[in-house]
Amino acid sequence: MTIWVDADACPNLIKDILFRAAGRAKVAVVLVANSWIRTPPSPFIRSMQVAGGPDVADDAIAERCIAGDLVVTADIPLAARALDQGALALNPRGELYTADSIAQRLSMRNFMDELRGAGVNTGGPPALHPRDVQAFANALDRWLTHHPK
């Protein structure tokens, strides 16, 4: 069982929760990014640097995750790919992606991309709130409890 982290855009508060969970639960956490990521010394935590470019980190995660793994990402297409592999996907706000919700999320993402392509300023996601961090920690704890090594 491995926790794969789309680390390029993962907030530091979320990484800190993952680092603590890795040691406590003795579960592998792999941060994948196209830049070097500092990790604390631990036999359970490692960083994987991939080449720069669109979706390179996503491809690396999707190629490696397997059923039973957890993928932490805000990237909806990566979440869909993880679900196709039998992994679970959780965003940094504590929302679990499901087979039922992913099609709707992909559709909304594509619609927003079209708006941005047409020059409409759609804004970005709201800032990470402490309740989001708590929701993530709770969702991670539930996953760790229900997915023993």
Side-chain angles (χ1 to χ4, degrees):
M1 160 173 94
T2 301
I3 299 173
W4 298 93
V5 183
D6 184 6
D8 284 319
C10 186
N12 287 331
L13 287 171
I14 300 304
K15 289 177 195 167
D16 290 342
I17 290 168
L18 290 163
F19 295 156
R20 288 192 303 272
R24 184 179 75 243
K26 297 181 177 23
V27 62
V29 173
V30 182
L31 291 93
V32 182
N34 53 27
S35 60
W36 182 79
I37 301 284
R38 178 185 298 249
T39 61
S42 168
F44 304 107
I45 302 168
R46 71 182 177 96
S47 177
M48 174 197 275
Q49 186 174 351
V50 296
D55 301 326
V56 176
D58 298 353
D59 291 343
I61 292 170
E63 290 166 4
R64 290 167 176 81
C65 72
I66 60 171
D69 286 353
L70 178 66
V71 175
V72 177
T73 185
D75 185 277
I76 296 166
L78 173 57
R81 292 172 69 187
L83 291 173
D84 288 344
Q85 296 289 97
L88 292 178
L90 178 65
N91 80 16
R93 296 180 186 278
E95 299 166 7
L96 191 64
Y97 298 101
T98 66
D100 294 334
S101 68
I102 200 69
Q104 177 186 7
R105 288 176 181 255
L106 278 168
S107 187
M108 180 59 72
R109 177 201 172 270
N110 293 340
F111 174 69
M112 296 302 277
D113 272 352
E114 288 178 24
L115 286 177
R116 284 188 290 274
V120 176
N121 182 1
T122 60
L128 195 66
H129 190 274
R131 75 176 155 260
D132 298 323
V133 175
Q134 187 61 53
F136 177 84
N138 292 341
L140 179 63
D141 282 343
R142 280 191 301 276
W143 182 80
L144 289 168
T145 300
H146 292 97
H147 295 85
K149 295 179 289 211

